[in-house]
Amino acid sequence: MILGIGTDLCNIDRIEATLARFGDRFRNRVFTPREQAKAEGRRDVAGTYAKRWAAKEACSKALGTGLRMGISWKDMAVSNLRSGQPVMHVTGWAAERLKSMTPAGHAAIIHVTLTDDHPWAQAFVVIEALPLPVLTLPVPVPT
Ligand SMILES: CC(C)(COP(=O)(O)OP(=O)(O)OC[C@H]1O[C@@H](n2cnc3c(N)ncnc32)[C@H](O)[C@@H]1OP(=O)(O)O)[C@@H](O)C(=O)NCCC(=O)NCCS
């Protein structure tokens, strides 16, 4: 079953201006070291950050919280599989929220997809709950 969906559109030029103005204060407040390493190693630094910003906003919407004051942006972090496919990891308050919205007997999966076409970066997030396999205990064989 679907537990939540979220989307966000982020202006890459706005991220570029924020990077120029606030530098590491912005980077370190919003992005994990892994996200920063990915973005700083790219030709399109601002576009890579903008996709990850959009992913965090979209994830907060799918979690049903939005980005309230005091929450940590770094508790929603994007990494990439070898294929390039993005993956969302949640920790801290976001992991707690995910746990509280997941029905008993289910595991939650966060799906994320990103795209950019200057000046826009876009993310969609879908949170799905899958039923956990029912444990089948070995039946004792009468002797
Ligand atoms: C996946 C692909 C269609 C992306 O298209 P694009 O026009 O370059 O880029 P878009 O702006 O639309 O999307 C980029 C985002 O797609 C996502 N993406 C990349 N590869 C993906 C994949 N295999 N599956 C799902 N999403 C993928 C990433 O999130 C990427 O942004 P990020 O690298 O900053 O995380 C394109 O890269 C492709 O066809 N790749 C073929 C597979 C390949 O070359 N793999 C190389 C590693 S083995």
Side-chain angles (χ1 to χ4, degrees), residues 42 48 51-52 78 80 82-86 113-116:
R42 289 266 178 90
T48 303
K51 278 179 272 185
R52 281 145 186 79
V78 173
N80 297 83
R82 285 169 77 92
S83 63
Q85 184 180 339
T113 184
L114 309 178
T115 190
D116 66 309

Side-chain angles (χ1 to χ4, degrees), residues 10-13 117-121:
C10 173
N11 187 299
I12 297 168
D13 293 337
D117 191 358
H118 196 272
W120 299 109

Side-chain angles (χ1 to χ4, degrees), residues 15-67:
I15 295 292
E16 190 148 39
T18 307
L19 283 166
R21 183 156 177 218
F22 297 105
D24 282 347
R25 252 177 70 203
F26 173 61
R27 283 187 193 86
N28 295 333
R29 180 153 168 247
V30 175
F31 303 101
T32 62
R34 194 174 185 175
E35 290 175 320
Q36 291 185 39
K38 169 73 76 177
E40 299 298 329
R42 289 266 178 90
R43 198 170 52 85
D44 184 9
V45 175
T48 303
Y49 278 127
K51 278 179 272 185
R52 281 145 186 79
W53 173 287
K56 291 165 195 274
E57 293 243 27
C59 187
S60 76
K61 292 174 186 174
L63 289 168
T65 57
L67 285 164

